[in-house]
Amino acid sequence: MSGWTTHTGPAVALDRENVDTDQLIPARFMSTPRSEGYGPFLLHDMRHDSDGTPVSDFPLNMVPNASILISRRNFGSGSSREAAVYALVDFGIRVVIAPSFGDIFASNSVNNGLLPARVSEADVDAAIALLADGPQEVSVDLIDRKIRLGNTTLDVTLDDVWQQKLINGWDDIDLTQTHKQAIAAFRAQHVQGKPWAVPVQQTDFRRAGRDTVSQ
Amino acid sequence: MSGRRLLDKLWDAHEILRREDGTSLLWVDRHLVHEGSHHAFAKIAERDLPVAEPGLTFGVADHYAPTRGGPATDAIARMIDTLSENTAKHGITCFGLDDPRQGIVHVIGPEQGLTLPGLLINCGDSHTSTHGAFGALAFGIGATEVAHVLATQTVWQKKPKAMRIDVTGRLGPGVGAKDLALAWIAKLGADGARGHAIEYTGAAVRAMSMEGRMTLCNLSIEGGARFGMIAPDETTFDYVRGRPFAPTGAEWDRAVELWSLLPSDSDAEFETTVSLDASEIAPIVTWGTSPEDALPVTATIPDPSLLQGSAADRARNALDYMGLTAGRALTEIAVDQVFIGSCTNARIEDLRAAAAVLAGRRAKVPGIVSPGSQLVKAQAEAEGLDRIFTDAGLDWVGSGCSMCVAMNGDHVEPGKRCASTTNRNFRGRQGRGARTHLMSPAMVAAAAVTGHLTDVRDLLRGREVA
C-alpha cells in the first residue's frame, strides 16, 4: 500500500444515514476473487434496477469518475466485510466524508489507504447543499487535516495513528515483525503463567513452543 | 485512583507493548476463521508467510454452509473447499461440513470450550462480540487484520472507551435478551456505543443464562460497539466446565480462581453509564432498515411527518422500502415467512422458546428453523423440538448462517416480508428487496402462528414459559 498526502478529485453526495456494508457490497458478490476487481459491486443494488439496468440519476452513476464520497452518520456500519472497502477503492474512491463511521469499517479503510474523514454534521449539511448543483472538485490534505470545497474549509477529525499510516502507507505486518522479540517473550510468559489459556486438545502447541513470528 | 474495569483487566493481560501514540499490540488467544477469511489467507500466501500459531487458530464452515443438500452453486462450493484447503495447508483444526461439531462460529466457539473467560478472541466477523458474554475481550476484525493475526498471533488496537449498560429489575414473561438488546439500541441509536466497549451489568443480566448473555453481547455491534462483555460468574463457570477444549483438573481450578478476579472493581468508573429497567421492556420488533428502528410490538408505525430533518427522510425511505404505512398498528403487519436461526438466536434455549409457542399449533406462513450447530440440532431432536417445528409446518434444516446473511443460497425473495430472529434488518440483507423484521425467537414463533406481527405474551397465557 502506498502512502499519500493530498488528493483532489470530483466529489458526490450520497445523502443517506446508516449506509451499511451490506449496501456497500451485497453478500452475493463476496465469493469473487479480489483480482477480478470489486468496483462494479459498489452499492450495486442502489446503482442498478432489479433487472441490472443502471439507475441514471444515482449520484455515482452521474459522476462515474468520482473519487470522494460524502454521506451521513454511521457510514459503513454493520458487517466487518473488508470487501465493502475493496468495492469503494476499486471503484476509485479515495476519501469518504461523513459525521461518523462504523468502527470496523474505519479501520478497514485505513488498512487500504482509504481516508474515513470525520467532519461535523453541520459541515456535511453544507457540503451536501453545495453539491446539490452538481459535482465539484474537492481537495483533501492529510497533513493539515483539511478538506477544501468551493470557498469552504472543513476540519477533519483523524486519529494521529491513522494519519501517519495513511501518509506512510505502512504495512502492519512489517511493523509487527520488528517487535518479534517482545512477542516471543510475552508468549512464553503468557503460556507459562496461564496454561489454561491454551486449548486442552492442542498438545502440539505445548510441545512445540515455537517462537512466534520468527520462522 | 478509581478501580479497574473488566475491560482494563482483560486489556492489560494481553498487552505486549503500547506505542507512544497509544496503540497497543495485543496477544490473541483464539483466532476463529471461516470461508470469508479467504482474502486473508491470500494475503499471507502472497508474502509466503506461515500461520504463526495454528494451535490457537480454528476454522469452521458456516457463512456458505448449505442447510439443505449440497452447496447451491459452484462458487459456494469453492468457498467451502478453499477454507478446507487453507486450514489443511496450515495445520489448522477445521470443523467442516462433515464434522459433527460444525455450526455457526459464534455458537461452536462457546460450545466447544474454545471460548473462555479471560481470553482475547478475534474473528473476521462483526458478531465476535458474542464471546464477550464469558468475560472475554472479543472483537470482530477485517481481512487485513485477519491476515495480521494469522501471521503474528497479535493485533494492533487502540483501547476503546468503556460504557456500562446497567439493567435493573427483571424481564417479564415472554421478554428476553433480544428485546433488551433492541430496547437499548433503539434508545441510543445504531451508533450510540461507537468507539466503546460495553459492559452489561445489573440484576437482569446476572439472572440471564449464557445463551441470553450471548444474544445480548452479540448485538453490541448493532449499537455500534465492537466489544460487548459480561463479567464471569458461577453461571459462566457452570457452562464452560467439562467442554471439550476447556481446561481440566488443577488448571481448571487455577483458571476459576483467576476468572473470579475479572469483574470490574466496585469503585471502577465508566466514561458512559446507561440504566434500563428490565421490567419496563415489552417484546420488541423492528419496523425499518436499521436495528435502531425498533419499537414495542404494542406501538404503531412511526410517522415521518412528526420527525425532524434527516431522521424524517430516513424514516420515509425506510417505510417506503419496507412497504409500510405510518400510524398503523405494528401488529397489523402481515408476514410472508419466518426464519429462526443465526449467531444471535439459534442456541438450544432459543429453539426451546420458539417451540414453547409453536407446540400444538400450526404456522400460517412457511419458514425455516436452522439450529446454530449440529450439536444444537442433535440436542433439539433429543428433546423432540424438531417435531414441534415440523408439525407446525416449518422446515427443520441444517446448521449455518443461512438466511441471516443470504450467502449460501437461502434468501428472502424481493418484496417478501420475513419475521426473523437475526441481527440485521438492513436493505437487502436477507436477499435483494427482502423486508426483514427483527425480533426474538418467541416473537417469530408467534408471527408464524398468526401470520402477522403479534405480542407473544397473548399466546403464552396458560402455557409454561421456557
Side-chain angles (χ1 to χ4, degrees):
Chain A
M1 192 177 86
S2 55
W4 59 279
T5 52
T6 58
H7 173 75
T8 299
V12 290
L14 183 60
D15 188 4
R16 283 173 188 262
E17 295 185 353
N18 292 329
V19 175
D20 57 71
T21 54
D22 273 84
Q23 290 176 80
L24 288 169
I25 180 167
R28 63 184 185 277
F29 299 119
M30 286 168 54
S31 56
T32 311
R34 174 74 189 279
S35 54
E36 291 181 21
Y38 273 42
F41 309 141
L42 177 65
L43 292 162
H44 183 277
D45 293 350
M46 283 191 190
R47 283 168 61 204
H48 302 88
D49 285 338
S50 51
D51 62 3
T53 313
V55 176
S56 58
D57 62 350
F58 190 77
L60 284 174
N61 292 341
M62 292 166 73
V63 191
N65 62 337
S67 61
I68 297 171
L69 187 62
I70 304 180
S71 191
R72 295 204 179 267
R73 69 173 259 263
N74 209 22
F75 188 91
S77 50
S79 160
S80 61
R81 59 185 70 170
E82 198 161 300
V85 175
Y86 303 159
L88 286 160
V89 169
D90 291 359
F91 184 89
I93 302 292
R94 304 285 300 278
V95 180
V96 181
I97 301 170
S100 63
F101 294 90
D103 285 342
I104 306 178
F105 173 84
S107 48
N108 289 345
S109 296
V110 174
N111 281 331
N112 288 277
L114 175 75
L115 168 64
R118 266 177 66 196
V119 304
S120 70
E121 294 265 3
D123 281 350
V124 165
D125 286 342
I128 288 177
L130 213 61
L131 289 172
D133 301 332
Q136 294 233 5
E137 287 277 310
V138 170
S139 294
V140 179
D141 191 323
L142 266 182
I143 294 174
D144 68 5
R145 293 184 246 220
K146 302 273 188 212
I147 292 172
R148 293 173 183 86
L149 81 165
N151 299 320
T152 324
T153 301
L154 317 181
D155 291 317
V156 176
T157 303
L158 176 67
D159 184 281
D160 292 348
V161 184
W162 285 357
Q163 181 197 32
Q164 289 307 310
K165 211 166 148 175
L166 287 164
I167 290 173
N168 296 303
W170 277 337
D171 176 283
D172 279 344
I173 294 179
D174 288 344
L175 189 70
T176 306
Q177 304 274 20
T178 67
H179 296 297
K180 68 182 183 185
Q181 283 182 335
I183 296 170
F186 184 93
R187 179 194 195 273
Q189 159 255 310
H190 190 68
V191 171
Q192 193 183 15
K194 295 174 188 156
W196 52 266
V198 175
V200 290
Q201 294 182 25
Q202 304 300 86
T203 48
D204 286 351
F205 176 92
R206 292 166 194 235
R207 264 206 312 278
R210 289 178 302 110
D211 175 7
T212 306
V213 197
S214 69
Q215 62 280 59
Chain B
M1 203 179 116
S2 63
R4 296 165 76 218
R5 303 161 302 200
L6 170 61
L7 169 66
D8 303 315
K9 297 178 189 186
L10 293 170
W11 197 273
D12 294 349
H14 293 89
E15 189 174 60
I16 299 164
L17 56 93
R18 192 184 313 164
R19 289 200 310 238
E20 271 181 28
D21 59 30
T23 312
S24 305
L25 183 65
L26 303 172
W27 175 259
V28 180
D29 291 303
R30 298 284 185 278
H31 187 205
L32 308 173
V33 296
H34 54 81
E35 305 95 305
S37 308
H38 69 102
H39 289 296
F41 280 106
K43 281 174 198 283
I44 63 165
E46 258 171 43
R47 307 165 68 125
D48 203 23
L49 285 169
V51 171
E53 299 283 0
L56 300 180
T57 312
F58 294 82
V60 63
D62 60 358
H63 283 67
Y64 291 84
T67 51
R68 286 163 286 199
T73 65
D74 289 347
I76 289 168
R78 193 177 64 237
M79 291 296 283
I80 296 166
D81 291 345
T82 302
L83 174 71
S84 304
E85 288 158 19
N86 279 323
T87 50
K89 175 180 163 192
H90 292 285
I92 296 167
T93 302
C94 184
F95 309 120
L97 294 183
D98 298 332
D99 193 306
R101 299 168 296 180
Q102 180 269 344
I104 304 172
V105 62
H106 309 309
V107 176
I108 66 149
E111 197 170 72
Q112 290 300 318
L114 291 167
T115 303
L116 302 174
L119 298 186
L120 190 152
I121 302 170
N122 277 151
C123 173
D125 187 281
S126 61
H127 293 109
T128 307
S129 55
T130 309
H131 308 261
F134 291 80
L137 191 62
F139 55 103
I141 54 179
T144 301
E145 292 168 311
V146 171
H148 187 275
V149 180
L150 286 173
T152 69
Q153 201 60 25
T154 66
V155 64
W156 289 102
Q157 193 70 208
K158 211 165 187 174
K159 192 173 176 180
K161 288 182 277 193
M163 174 186 285
R164 179 177 175 217
I165 297 186
D166 189 54
V167 194
T168 56
R170 271 177 73 165
L171 291 168
V175 184
K178 181 69 159 285
D179 303 296
L180 175 52
L182 291 173
W184 82 252
I185 294 165
K187 181 179 163 128
L188 302 187
D191 52 358
R194 191 172 45 81
H196 289 77
I198 301 172
E199 181 178 346
Y200 300 94
T201 62
V205 176
R206 285 294 134 217
M208 274 182 193
S209 65
M210 288 316 297
E211 283 84 353
R213 294 179 188 185
M214 283 189 257
T215 300
L216 190 57
C217 288
N218 172 280
L219 290 162
S220 301
I221 187 69
E222 307 313 331
R226 205 169 176 178
F227 309 76
M229 58 186 77
I230 295 172
D233 59 12
E234 286 302 320
T235 303
T236 320
F237 307 150
D238 288 345
Y239 180 98
V240 174
R241 190 181 291 111
R243 302 254 164 203
F245 288 91
T248 55
E251 281 185 11
W252 168 264
D253 295 340
R254 178 67 187 137
V256 171
E257 250 175 68
L258 291 170
W259 296 343
S260 302
L261 303 174
L262 284 173
S264 294
D265 299 338
S266 55
D267 58 343
E269 288 172 14
F270 291 76
E271 275 91 351
T272 312
T273 296
V274 177
S275 297
L276 295 172
D277 181 348
S279 64
E280 289 175 3
I281 295 170
I284 310 260
V285 297
T286 63
W287 53 267
T289 54
S290 161
E292 70 187 11
D293 301 335
L295 283 169
V297 67
T298 49
T300 53
I301 299 168
D303 185 346
S305 68
L306 303 177
L307 299 169
Q308 305 290 321
S310 64
D313 290 343
R314 208 177 64 70
R316 209 167 282 118
N317 283 334
L319 292 184
D320 181 49
Y321 178 83
M322 293 297 290
L324 296 174
T325 309
R328 305 282 290 271
L330 285 166
T331 49
E332 287 177 35
I333 299 173
V335 300
D336 299 298
Q337 62 196 96
V338 299
F339 177 69
I340 297 174
S342 86
C343 62
T344 306
N345 278 130
R347 297 179 184 83
I348 190 68
E349 191 175 278
D350 300 314
L351 301 185
R352 287 178 190 145
V357 176
L358 283 162
R361 292 174 168 145
R362 289 283 301 174
K364 283 202 173 136
V365 294
I368 69 177
V369 184
S370 174
S373 70
Q374 294 196 28
L375 288 174
V376 169
K377 188 175 192 198
Q379 170 76 25
E381 288 171 358
E383 294 180 20
L385 304 183
D386 59 320
R387 289 285 304 278
I388 293 176
F389 294 123
T390 53
D391 287 352
L394 301 179
D395 290 343
W396 177 246
V397 304
S399 170
C401 300
S402 182
M403 209 178 270
C404 174
V405 72
M407 285 179 172
N408 75 334
D410 294 343
H411 68 283
V412 176
E413 292 291 330
K416 295 291 184 190
R417 190 179 302 283
C418 183
S420 182
T421 68
T422 55
N423 40 57
R424 292 186 171 136
N425 51 346
F426 298 162
R427 291 160 181 265
R429 169 79 175 183
Q430 292 194 292
R432 185 168 189 174
R435 293 164 169 168
T436 305
H437 294 273
L438 304 176
M439 62 198 82
S440 72
M443 284 287 287
V444 168
V449 168
T450 63
H452 55 83
L453 302 191
T454 297
D455 189 337
V456 66
R457 293 173 297 189
D458 296 339
L459 298 186
L460 287 172
R461 292 211 175 86
R463 290 194 173 210
E464 199 179 324
V465 180

